[in-house]
Amino acid sequence: MTQPIIVFDLDGTLIDTAPDLLDSLNHSLAASDLLAVDEAGFRRFVGHGGRVMIERAHAAQNKALVAQEHDRLLKLFLDHYTLNIPGKSRPYPGVIAALDRFQAAGYLMAVCTNKYEANSVALIGALGLSNYFGAICGQDTFAFRKPDPRHLTETIRLAGGDPENALMVGDSQTDIDTAKAAGIPVVAVDFGYTDRHVREFEPTLVVSHFDTLTPDLAERLIAAAR
């Protein structure tokens, strides 16, 4: 049997990127003469990448958004975000200790995110976490992205793992739906970026701190799913 693998979402799961994403979103919205979004509003827009965030923010203010303008605002968003990596973004409490536990237990690890791959790699590198992950796959790594289950299964394969011996950790309905569609158990953290409690999306398990996430727990969840 292959080594077990644990796959993490990035924003709102491993890393608290909200301050920087919000700053970049508001930078782009200002160019469209829209009101700034606050932290509470931001949670309604996040989860599918910058393009969708901009689209949702415009819809919330009843502002039409044509394709050319959408592209311009996305570039503003990405340029602002990229230039400020890592900014105020930091791993959530307990993340590094949890990664150390899984590494010591022989787990493969990977990241599967709807953030662009280059920004994901840059952020993880800037925070000194690159050595933990065998693959970092973003929304543009493949021709598909979450909630398409292939985004998760191909990330697993790229990291050298097997979807039959895998666990997903995420913070949103997108992550949970992706894992379910792939037939992979999923742990949802309840401190991420969603305006509804993750238990409503029926993950395998909900946790409130990375201290709860252990190799023994992962092994039990993976075994129960087989």
Side-chain angles (χ1 to χ4, degrees):
M1 182 178 290
T2 59
Q3 289 174 263
I5 183 168
I6 183 165
V7 183
F8 300 92
D9 173 56
L10 187 57
D11 296 0
T13 300
L14 283 178
I15 310 296
D16 183 8
T17 55
D20 299 307
L21 292 173
L22 182 59
D23 285 349
S24 296
L25 176 61
N26 284 332
H27 176 75
S28 71
L29 294 180
S32 194
D33 295 324
L34 288 184
L35 298 174
V37 174
D38 61 18
E39 184 176 350
F42 164 78
R43 290 174 180 270
R44 294 184 290 131
F45 307 142
V46 75
H48 291 273
R51 180 176 290 276
V52 175
M53 267 196 285
I54 292 167
E55 180 181 350
R56 289 175 173 174
H58 277 71
Q61 297 189 42
N62 299 311
K63 178 75 177 285
L65 185 60
V66 298
Q68 186 174 358
E69 178 69 356
H70 202 168
D71 291 341
R72 183 181 77 88
L73 296 176
L74 178 62
K75 185 177 187 307
L76 287 173
F77 172 89
L78 292 174
D79 287 349
H80 184 274
Y81 183 80
T82 301
L83 287 171
N84 289 284
I85 289 174
K88 306 168 209 172
S89 298
R90 296 292 181 270
Y92 282 103
V95 162
I96 294 174
L99 296 177
D100 285 337
R101 285 195 297 273
F102 281 96
Q103 191 173 67
Y107 273 69
L108 300 170
M109 289 182 280
V111 170
C112 180
T113 173
N114 276 338
K115 196 186 205 74
Y116 284 97
E117 181 184 316
N119 283 340
S120 303
V121 170
L123 176 61
I124 289 168
L127 294 174
L129 304 178
S130 301
N131 290 337
Y132 288 107
F133 303 111
I136 300 170
C137 298
Q139 65 164 269
D140 55 336
T141 303
F142 309 110
F144 35 79
R145 65 177 186 173
K146 297 183 298 186
D148 189 316
R150 294 175 296 173
H151 192 177
L152 175 55
T153 56
E154 289 305 307
T155 296
I156 289 168
R157 293 188 176 100
L158 192 61
D162 182 345
E164 296 294 322
N165 200 18
L167 177 69
M168 174 74 182
V169 181
D171 72 304
S172 69
Q173 182 177 9
T174 299
D175 298 319
I176 294 164
D177 288 349
T178 301
K180 285 182 175 181
I184 292 170
V186 55
V187 172
V189 298
D190 65 4
F191 46 74
Y193 306 152
T194 176
D195 60 343
R196 294 165 58 190
H197 198 284
V198 286
R199 74 167 69 91
E200 295 183 33
F201 311 124
E202 300 182 345
T204 311
L205 182 69
V206 176
V207 299
S208 298
H209 196 285
F210 269 91
D211 287 352
T212 310
L213 196 61
T214 65
D216 285 345
L217 174 63
E219 183 179 348
R220 292 197 301 273
L221 296 176
I222 293 169
R226 290 196 186 111

